[in-house]
Amino acid sequence: MKQWISTFALPLAACGGATSPGSGSNTLYVEAIVEGKPDSTSFSVIVLRSGSNVVGANVFFVDQDSGTERNLVGHGDASKKKGDYRYEGQLGFYAPNLKLKITAGNDSLEALLAGPAPHVILKPDNNDIVAANTGEVLGVEWRR
């Protein structure tokens, strides 16, 4: 019986939340890639059992902040090598706190992923002009 593994990748280091590799039936191998942008969050998930692509799994992410769920659509050629069949989807906003849920028959996996919170630059103001090479210290303030 193959142990499950969850892999998460983000373009920035995770901070400020709870990330957990999760729990489940210990029979699925999962690679989940989440890409967060200011206006969207996209998902690509590979689900394997005993080294073979799993077709027909229920794969979805839940945005923990808003409760929005996104079921991922499976596509590709399942008869080919690992990764030729994947589940993909997208949210129309940045979601830093996610729960991944997968069920495939009697097998399951649940995991948490926390990414960096969006930041807002407070100072300098958007209209401020900052002169280069003045030797002055530039103060920058931001909030999450």
Side-chain angles (χ1 to χ4, degrees):
M1 200 179 274
K2 196 158 187 125
Q3 292 285 1
W4 62 265
I5 298 174
S6 56
T7 304
F8 296 101
L10 276 177
L12 300 171
C15 63
T19 296
S20 163
S23 61
S25 61
N26 293 328
T27 55
L28 300 174
Y29 173 87
V30 174
E31 291 180 13
I33 297 175
V34 178
E35 183 179 1
K37 295 182 180 177
D39 61 350
S40 65
T41 304
S42 60
F43 312 102
S44 179
V45 178
I46 297 169
V47 181
L48 304 173
R49 183 187 298 120
S50 300
S52 297
N53 291 305
V54 175
V55 177
N58 184 14
V59 179
F60 66 99
F61 277 92
V62 178
D63 173 31
Q64 303 258 88
D65 297 332
S66 71
T68 302
E69 293 185 8
R70 181 66 64 219
N71 285 344
L72 306 188
V73 177
H75 61 85
D77 187 347
S79 66
K80 302 257 175 145
K81 64 181 170 88
K82 166 190 150 181
D84 280 350
Y85 191 88
R86 51 183 71 238
Y87 297 85
E88 296 181 324
Q90 185 170 345
L91 290 171
F93 57 90
Y94 176 66
N97 297 304
L98 297 164
K99 178 183 271 188
L100 169 64
K101 292 184 176 185
I102 299 173
T103 55
N106 291 328
D107 300 327
S108 65
L109 175 121
E110 287 192 17
L112 299 175
L113 174 65
H119 289 73
V120 176
I121 303 294
L122 301 173
K123 288 185 182 178
D125 187 61
N126 193 37
N127 296 323
D128 285 354
I129 296 174
V130 179
N133 297 325
T134 63
E136 293 182 36
V137 174
L138 174 62
V140 178
E141 294 179 22
W142 66 92
R143 68 174 165 78
R144 282 183 57 180

